[in-house]
């Protein structure tokens, strides 16, 4: 499905559309980047209770994956969507530097006090040993102020653990090209890192690092949102491993519920205009409001109002039989099963964008989340069909060439492969793609006997050109 701007909350819609228009990129890219950024800002500071009479809580930290070929403006769009987070980080970094300078002064004073006590203890040790012992008691040293982080780009899991101990409500892990992270976790010896990321998706589980060098690091809750881009060829090979029992077959990929792989139609308009400042400011205000929410020791629990609860219950009643029926591919089932978290999490995100202090999720927020679920499911189906039936991508590319008329009325697999078109680089790939189009009557397969070795040709259905 194409992205509908109505999917975005009103406060963010103009900003996202402006980014897509000025960059001439798919609106899916900045939209998903913005939702992932806001979900990371909320983190574990608020949870939603999807059932009216159950203590099941969902943390709205979401994982997003942007699939697109090089040159389709993935990175610039995501950079613009993350600008409010970087702005907040710069603001809090300045405050942190001031607090750290004050802490360093307090630390020096405490050390000087300890030295002075030691000298005094030495002078009275013979006459008054009890006083000397009291003077030698360690002075309470001031604690180093925590640095609030919003975005982390490249860090080991141990360093992520340190960040999380200082930022227990979570933050965003952003990779411009996430393929390196995914493949890195597939390597032998990275099982611990992979387990850490898997647990970080839940957003509410404690975790403890025990290392000889670093000692023990205890994390109250492991909460991580993720965002990254990847190229179609790389994600296809990764998905094939994940669906065939490879190293990625543990549900990590399926946690990327906000996965989009939009159609790129090639149209372009040279846009040279200033950003829509009111729309941008309105979006930045949303980030500011959410970042300013005061949180006590526990996250605030949000609940559906009665109409919202009814809408969610109706969706789940229809959804669960679909993923339990055994008709879908297991990899797609594993992906869709994460919608049990995705739908209530999106509902909470939309509610907090509109009113971060209300504590109630309304029906309009659930309906918007369900619309997102319908949209995202079509992209998930593309993602997994590209691996389960890799010839579908090649068949689509071949059909595009056929419709353009560059192949005339008939062709052979070798003729197509020699043109070196993307996704159609070998005769075997072209043959499989053409055979699939034969099944759908776009082509007709024929064997031409010329006296030597038979030649396989594909005749194009005359009705293909201009067909929908």
């Amino acid at each position: 499905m194409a992205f509908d701007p109505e999917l975005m909350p009103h406060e963010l819609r103009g900003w996202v559309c402006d980014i897509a228009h000025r960059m001439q990129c798919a609106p899916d890219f900045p939209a998903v980047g913005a939702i992932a950024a806001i979900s990371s800002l909320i983190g574990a500071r608020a949870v939603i209770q999807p059932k009216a009479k159950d203590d099941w809580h969902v943390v709205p930290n979401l994982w997003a994956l942007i699939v697109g070929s090089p040159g389709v403006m993935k990175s610039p769009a995501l950079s613009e969507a993350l600008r409010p987070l970087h702005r907040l980080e710069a603001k809090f970094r300045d405050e942190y530097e001031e607090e750290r300078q004050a802490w360093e002064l307090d630390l020096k004073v405490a050390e000087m006090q300890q030295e002075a006590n030691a000298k005094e203890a030495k002078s009275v040790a013979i006459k008054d040993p009890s006083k000397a012992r009291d003077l030698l008691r360690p002075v309470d040293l001031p604690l180093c102020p925590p640095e609030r982080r919003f975005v982390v780009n490249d860090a080991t899991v141990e360093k992520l653990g340190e960040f999380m101990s200082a930022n227990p409500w979570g933050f965003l892990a952003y990779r411009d090209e996430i393929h390196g992270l995914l493949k890195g976790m597939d390597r032998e010896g990275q099982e611990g890192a992979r387990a850490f990321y898997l647990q970080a998706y839940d957003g509410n589980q404690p975790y403890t690092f025990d290392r000889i060098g670093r000692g023990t690091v205890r994390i109250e809750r492991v909460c991580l949102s993720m965002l990254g881009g990847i190229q179609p060829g790389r994600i296809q090979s990764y998905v094939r491993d994940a669906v065939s029992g490879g190293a990625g077959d543990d549900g990590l990929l399926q946690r990327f519920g906000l996965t989009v792989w939009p159609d790129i139609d090639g149209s372009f308009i040279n846009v040279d205009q200033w950003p829509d400042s009111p729309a941008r400011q309105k979006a930045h205000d949303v980030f500011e409001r959410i970042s300013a929410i005061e949180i006590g020791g526990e996250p605030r629990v949000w609940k559906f109002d009665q109409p919202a609860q009814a809408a969610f219950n109706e969706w789940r009643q229809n959804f669960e039989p679909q993923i339990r029926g055994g008709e879908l591919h297991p990899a797609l089932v594993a992906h869709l099963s994460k919608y049990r978290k995705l739908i209530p999490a999106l509902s909470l995100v939309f509610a907090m964008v509109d009113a971060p202090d209300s504590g109630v999720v309304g029906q309009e927020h659930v309906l918007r989340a369900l619309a997102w679920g319908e949209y995202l499911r079509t992209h998930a189906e593309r993602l997994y069909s590209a691996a389960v039936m890799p010839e579908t991508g090649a068949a689509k590319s071949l059909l595009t060439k056929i419709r353009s008329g560059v192949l005339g009325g008939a062709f052979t697999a070798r003729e197509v492969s020699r043109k070196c078109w993307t996704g159609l680089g070998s005769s075997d790939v072209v043959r499989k793609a053409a055979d699939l189009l034969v099944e759908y009557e776009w082509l007709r397969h024929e064997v031409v006997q010329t006296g030597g070795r038979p030649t396989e040709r594909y005749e194009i259905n005359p009705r293909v050109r201009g067909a929908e």
Side-chain angles (χ1 to χ4, degrees):
M1 288 176 61
F3 184 81
D4 183 353
E6 293 295 321
L7 290 171
M8 292 300 293
H10 178 73
E11 299 289 304
L12 305 175
R13 191 178 305 153
W15 173 56
V16 166
C17 291
D18 180 60
I19 294 172
H21 176 65
R22 288 186 294 108
M23 295 189 175
Q24 287 293 287
C25 67
D28 315 58
F29 298 158
V32 168
I35 296 301
I38 290 179
S39 80
S40 73
L41 192 57
I42 298 171
R45 298 193 296 163
V47 298
I48 185 167
Q49 182 175 305
K51 292 184 177 181
K53 302 175 182 178
D54 198 299
D55 59 359
W56 170 34
H57 292 165
V58 169
V59 181
N61 59 314
L62 298 173
W63 289 17
L65 187 64
I66 309 298
V67 184
S69 301
V72 296
M73 304 294 286
K74 299 191 304 295
S75 299
L78 291 181
S79 295
E80 191 69 20
L82 294 181
R83 181 176 290 191
L85 282 187
H86 291 308
R87 183 180 175 182
L88 285 170
E89 188 153 277
K91 170 187 171 183
F92 279 90
R93 187 184 300 117
D94 291 341
E95 295 179 2
Y96 167 74
E97 290 299 332
E98 293 180 3
E99 293 175 356
R100 183 175 177 82
Q101 290 176 7
W103 168 76
E104 289 176 347
L105 294 176
D106 292 340
L107 185 62
K108 288 180 180 179
V109 170
E111 291 172 348
M112 293 170 62
Q113 182 180 355
Q114 198 155 345
E115 292 175 2
N117 288 346
K119 289 181 180 179
E120 185 178 354
K122 185 176 181 179
S123 65
V124 301
I126 297 176
K127 295 182 178 180
D128 193 347
S130 177
K131 182 179 179 181
R133 283 196 298 271
D134 290 338
L135 289 169
L136 290 175
R137 295 183 188 278
V139 175
D140 292 335
L141 299 177
L143 297 176
C144 180
E147 180 182 7
R148 186 169 179 184
R149 296 296 298 268
F150 293 86
V151 182
V152 174
N153 298 113
D154 186 12
T156 64
V157 292
E158 289 81 9
K159 192 62 180 179
L160 284 175
E162 290 185 9
F163 288 148
M164 286 183 183
S165 63
N167 298 268
W169 306 116
F171 46 82
L172 177 72
Y174 170 61
R175 290 289 188 96
D176 180 56
E177 178 53 63
I178 207 168
H179 181 257
L181 174 65
L182 295 176
K183 296 300 289 185
M185 286 192 289
D186 288 348
R187 290 198 296 266
E188 186 176 352
Q190 294 299 309
E191 295 82 4
R194 196 174 187 91
F196 178 84
Y197 277 97
L198 289 169
Q199 191 162 330
Y201 175 78
D202 293 336
N204 55 9
Q205 300 297 320
Y207 201 93
T208 302
F209 286 104
D210 292 303
R211 299 291 186 269
I212 293 176
R214 295 177 181 268
T216 298
V217 177
R218 293 183 176 86
I219 307 170
E220 185 177 351
R221 57 181 66 82
V222 182
C223 181
L224 189 68
S225 300
M226 290 188 70
L227 173 65
I230 196 167
Q231 298 175 22
R234 290 185 168 182
I235 192 61
Q236 284 177 320
S237 63
Y238 190 84
V239 173
R240 280 195 287 272
D241 287 341
V243 302
S244 61
D249 188 15
D250 59 0
L252 181 72
L253 178 65
Q254 285 83 359
R255 283 165 166 75
F256 286 90
L258 289 175
T259 295
V260 291
W261 186 346
D263 291 320
I264 307 296
D265 60 13
S267 62
F268 176 79
I269 300 174
N270 186 40
V271 177
D272 185 2
Q273 65 183 44
W274 295 110
D276 185 340
S277 297
R280 179 194 288 184
Q281 188 58 52
K282 187 182 293 186
H284 284 205
D285 289 344
V286 170
F287 282 80
E288 290 280 356
R289 288 198 302 268
I290 293 176
S291 70
I293 295 174
E294 296 291 337
I295 300 295
E298 293 296 326
R300 183 179 184 183
V301 179
W302 287 56
K303 297 182 179 181
F304 292 128
D305 64 18
Q306 195 167 358
Q309 187 71 63
F312 177 77
N313 291 347
E314 181 182 0
W315 166 78
R316 195 162 184 222
Q317 189 65 48
N318 296 325
F319 173 74
E320 290 291 340
Q322 297 178 33
I323 61 175
R324 297 168 186 251
E327 297 179 359
L328 301 175
H329 191 281
L332 183 59
V333 169
H335 185 98
L336 295 178
S337 67
K338 304 302 180 187
Y339 282 30
R340 294 165 178 150
K341 168 173 177 166
L342 178 65
I343 298 302
L346 283 172
S347 301
L348 176 56
V349 169
F350 298 145
M352 294 191 70
V353 167
D354 288 345
D357 296 319
S358 71
V360 177
V361 177
Q363 184 182 33
E364 67 274 17
H365 305 124
V366 175
L367 294 180
R368 176 170 280 125
L370 293 178
W372 267 85
E374 181 182 359
Y375 154 76
L376 291 169
R377 178 166 178 165
T378 65
H379 290 255
E381 289 169 348
R382 166 175 283 181
L383 177 69
Y384 291 101
S385 67
V388 177
M389 293 181 63
E391 60 270 22
T392 56
K396 183 177 179 181
S397 298
L398 181 58
L399 185 57
T400 300
K401 299 298 182 183
I402 291 170
R403 281 176 165 167
S404 70
V406 296
L407 292 175
F411 61 88
T412 66
R414 186 168 181 270
E415 289 172 350
V416 174
S417 64
R418 291 177 65 181
K419 295 182 182 295
C420 299
W421 287 326
T422 302
L424 300 169
S426 71
S427 296
D428 185 54
V429 170
V430 175
R431 191 175 296 109
K432 290 181 178 178
D435 288 341
L436 183 59
L437 293 180
V438 168
E439 293 182 23
Y440 287 90
E441 299 182 354
W442 296 107
L443 302 176
R444 184 173 67 187
H445 180 254
E446 58 182 8
V447 179
V448 180
Q449 191 70 43
T450 59
R453 185 176 180 180
T455 300
E456 294 186 357
R457 294 181 61 81
Y458 295 93
E459 183 180 352
I460 299 173
N461 187 329
R463 294 178 297 174
V464 168
R465 296 182 189 178
E468 294 296 331

